[in-house]
Structure formats: C-alpha cells, structure tokens
C-alpha cells in the first residue's frame, strides 16, 4: 500500500499516453519537465475502448519507475477485456516490475458491446487478488457515479469493491470540497476505512472543463462558474485563475487532514509545477 510509506498527505500525479497522432517521446518530455515535482507516485491512464494499446501505458509506467525512480500505478479498465486479456496484462505488469494497479471497470462506449468477463471493477479486484502480488487501488465518486441508482447504492457497491481487496481509493475530480467531505462521512458510516486520495483537476480552458463535467458528472459551483464566464476568452487569465482555484481547494483539503491529493495533470508540466511549488510547504508541514 502506497499510503503506509508516508505520514503526511500523499501527493500524486496522473498522466495519459500521447494520442495516436503524437510520438511517445512527448510524454517523456512532459516527465522530464516534471522533475522538480516530487510526487509519491505517477499513475498512467489506459483507454478502455483501446484507443492506445495497453503496452504503451505499461511502458510509460515502467519508465516512470526505472528511469525517473518514482513509484508508478497502471490503470487497468476491464470492461472490454476477456479474462485472458487481463491475465496477459498482469503478466506484462509483473515483467515490468509494476506493483500498483488502479482496477477500473472503464467507461462503456455505446458503439462497442462490452465483453462482460468482468461486469464491475470489483470483479477485476477479485481477479487480481487471486493472482496476488499487486497493490490494488480503486476509483470512487464524491458526487456519486453517474450510473448509480442512488448515492447509498454507490457507497454499498464501493464497500463491496473495497472488501474484494482495494487497499486505497482515488476520487473522481470535484470542484466543491464539501462534496468530498460529505462523501468521506458516508464512507465512514458505511465502514469504508481505506485511505482516499482527492482528485483535483486544474482548469485550463473552458471547453475541457465542460466536456469533463459532462462525462463525469462533477458539478460546477457558482464561484467556479464566475471564473469560467469572466475569463473564457483570455487563455492566460483563465489558466492562472484555474491554478489559483486548484491551490485554494488543495490548501483547504490538506488543512482538513485529507489522506492525499491526486492531480490530474492533463500532461501539462507548467501547471503541475506551479501548483506543486505553491503547496509543497503546506503538504510537508
Ligand atoms: P465500478 O466500481 O464497477 O462502478 C461503476 C458503476 O457500477 C457504479 O455506478 C457502481 O455503483 C456500479 N456497481 C459497482 N459494483 C456493482 C455491483 N456489484 N452491482 C451493481 N452495480 C455495481 N477509465 C478508463 O477507461 N481508463 C482510465 O485510465 C481511467 N482512469 C480513471 C481514474 C480515476 C481516478 C477515476 C475516478 C476514473 C477513471 N476512469 C478511467 C473512468 C472509469 O472507468 C469510469 O468512471 C467508469 O464508468 C467506472 O469505473 P469504476 O472502476 O469506478 O467502476
């Protein structure tokens, strides 16, 4: 478990493999530029629909560990995997020395029929733990997963996923910390006691945020909407306001004793560096 290794809040980054149109080197330029940031781990996404092969994600996760000396986490969405695909991926991860997996169901593409060897992330959590040898992490949703019948059902399902063997959780992005605090309370009442990292995404442009909130259901508080409305046509001002907003959110989370912060970097080292330098002393206080 990554959380055991530190008694201050964890700080981690998420990167994604370059799009098909870019070369793999672009991610290494990003990682080089992130060398001033000292994350406890970097996680690497993997598109469930298979836009980039899992070997790209695995190779990036392996390089993060080998070349940059930083713990890495491989995302593993299972909805389009057969059990054999999953077993093959676990073998690859093992060969590449990757110990940590974010076990995910993955988003369902309405145009592609799922495989259904795994229906829920919890099925994959069980599968990985049957093989053994990996630290398994799960995803969670402070504002409730979009498909869940109710917040209570979502928490019940999350509890089951944790019982299947998730050692820690990483949350979906949110812009109002109160959602996160009340989610933690619901977890507590349900008896979910593993560490939960708060997912924070700094906003750098209006289109990106509108797409993300539509996809993941995160609500936009009035304070945040005002920033978007006022600065939407001024790239630098919107970026700076987005960074300031994320720093404010993180400062409040750390003051509340959060277990950790997971920064969705959008592969933008400039933004990640500015945020890290602003919160470094607060994180380590
Ligand atoms: P699950 O835990 O399976 O939950 C999905 C839904 O099913 C929820 O509504 C839940 O309440 C319900 N459910 C769960 N178990 C049961 C059960 N036993 N019975 C009935 N209902 C149940 N997607 C990618 O494709 N690639 C990535 O790299 C990626 N990275 C992510 C990183 C983070 C930190 C997060 C928060 C999400 C990420 N996603 C990624 C998106 C994720 O795949 C989607 O949000 C997906 O819709 C749900 O995945 P899950 O693992 O949370 O699913």
């Amino acid at each position: 478990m990554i959380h055991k290794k530190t008694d201050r809040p964890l700080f981690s980054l998420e990167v994604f493999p370059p799009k098909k149109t870019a070369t793999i080197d672009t991610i290494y330029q990003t990682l080089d530029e992130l060398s001033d940031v000292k994350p406890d781990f970097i996680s690497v996404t993997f598109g469930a629909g298979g836009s980039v092969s899992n070997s790209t994600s695995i190779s990036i996760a392996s390089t993060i560990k080998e070349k940059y000396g930083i713990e890495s986490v491989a995302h593993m969405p299972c909805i389009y995997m057969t059990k054999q695909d999953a077993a093959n991926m676990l073998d690859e991860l093992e060969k590449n020395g990757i110990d940590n997996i974010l076990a995910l169901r993955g988003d369902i593409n309405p145009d592609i029929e799922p495989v259904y060897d795994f229906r829920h992330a919890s099925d994959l959590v069980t599968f990985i733990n049957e093989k053994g040898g990996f630290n398994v992490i799960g995803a969670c949703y402070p504002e409730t997963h979009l498909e869940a019948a109710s917040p209570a059902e979502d928490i019940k399902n999350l509890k089951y996923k944790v019982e299947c063997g998730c050692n820690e959780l990483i949350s979906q992005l949110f812009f109002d910390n109160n959602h996160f605090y009340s989610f933690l309370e619901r977890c507590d009442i349900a008896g979910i006691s593993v560490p939960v990292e708060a997912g924070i995404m700094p906003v750098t442009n209006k289109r990106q945020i509108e797409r993300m909130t539509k996809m993941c259901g995160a609500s936009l508080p009035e304070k945040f909407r005002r920033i978007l409305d006022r600065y939407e046509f001024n790239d630098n001002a919107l970026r700076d306001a987005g960074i300031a907003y994320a720093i404010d959110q993180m400062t409040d989370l750390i003051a509340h004793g959060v277990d950790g912060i997971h920064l969705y970097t959008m592969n933008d080292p400039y933004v990640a560096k500015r945020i890290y330098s602003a919160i470094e002393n607060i994180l380590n206080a």
Side-chain angles (χ1 to χ4, degrees):
M1 167 156 131
I2 301 176
H3 274 270
K4 259 194 199 146
K5 296 177 185 159
T6 167
D7 54 8
R8 56 160 176 75
L10 273 192
F11 180 68
S12 58
L13 306 177
E14 180 173 301
V15 297
F16 50 79
K19 304 269 177 269
K20 270 184 182 159
T21 46
T23 67
I24 183 86
D25 291 344
T26 57
I27 187 69
Y28 299 122
Q29 283 158 19
T30 304
L31 292 171
D32 285 341
E33 285 183 49
L34 281 172
S35 63
D36 297 342
V37 182
K38 306 270 176 287
D40 293 290
F41 68 84
I42 299 180
S43 79
V44 186
T45 68
F46 165 27
S51 58
V52 179
S53 81
N54 62 8
S55 62
T56 313
S57 294
I58 294 174
S59 130
I60 295 167
S62 168
T63 307
I64 287 169
K65 209 171 164 184
E66 296 305 319
K67 177 171 169 206
Y68 297 90
I70 298 169
E71 195 60 76
S72 64
V73 172
H75 293 210
M76 183 171 179
C78 59
I79 192 71
Y80 291 107
M81 283 185 181
T82 61
K83 286 196 170 166
Q84 190 55 54
D85 294 332
N88 294 345
M89 181 159 172
L90 294 184
D91 286 346
E92 276 302 298
L93 290 170
E94 196 176 0
K95 267 192 232 145
N96 282 276
I98 295 157
D99 305 316
N100 305 294
I101 300 176
L102 177 56
L104 297 154
R105 186 198 70 184
D107 280 321
I108 297 174
N109 179 338
D111 299 327
I112 311 177
E113 181 65 14
V115 169
Y116 290 131
D117 271 14
F118 303 97
R119 284 183 175 267
H120 308 292
S122 52
D123 301 330
L124 179 65
V125 174
T126 302
F127 184 84
I128 298 170
N129 282 319
E130 274 167 9
K131 175 169 167 67
F134 291 100
N135 174 44
V136 184
I137 304 166
C140 61
Y141 301 83
E143 294 182 70
T144 303
H145 186 262
L146 278 175
E147 295 162 36
S150 67
E153 273 296 306
D154 208 28
I155 290 282
K156 195 178 102 200
N157 294 330
L158 181 63
K159 183 167 194 282
Y160 177 68
K161 181 160 70 175
V162 169
E163 285 167 354
C164 289
C166 279
N167 296 320
E168 37 212 318
L169 297 170
I170 302 180
S171 93
Q172 182 58 280
L173 61 96
F174 57 89
F175 298 102
D176 180 345
N177 289 357
N178 289 323
H179 290 304
F180 188 72
Y181 301 139
S182 70
F183 168 74
L184 289 184
E185 263 173 43
R186 293 201 300 280
C187 285
D188 199 34
I189 292 166
I192 298 169
S193 57
V194 296
V196 186
E197 263 199 287
I200 298 294
M201 179 182 280
V203 172
T204 47
N205 69 70
K206 190 167 174 170
R207 247 197 1 262
Q208 159 213 351
I209 202 58
E210 282 173 347
R211 196 170 53 87
M212 288 306 295
T213 49
K214 215 160 130 195
M215 256 176 72
C216 74
S219 57
L220 295 181
E222 201 42 46
K223 178 178 165 186
F224 190 86
R225 214 174 264 286
R226 268 198 301 277
I227 292 176
L228 290 181
D229 289 343
R230 185 162 181 110
Y231 303 117
E232 66 178 307
F233 300 116
N234 183 330
D235 293 350
N236 288 345
L238 180 56
R239 185 197 59 203
D240 284 6
I243 290 172
Y245 191 94
I247 292 168
D248 185 44
Q249 259 195 294
M250 291 182 189
T251 307
D252 181 63
L253 287 163
I254 298 166
H256 268 77
V258 72
D259 293 317
I261 289 174
H262 185 68
L263 183 68
Y264 294 98
T265 69
M266 305 305 287
N267 289 8
D268 185 336
Y270 173 82
V271 173
K273 282 197 296 198
R274 276 191 53 187
I275 289 178
Y276 181 70
S277 72
I279 63 157
E280 188 178 4
N281 290 331
I282 306 170
L283 262 178
N284 291 309

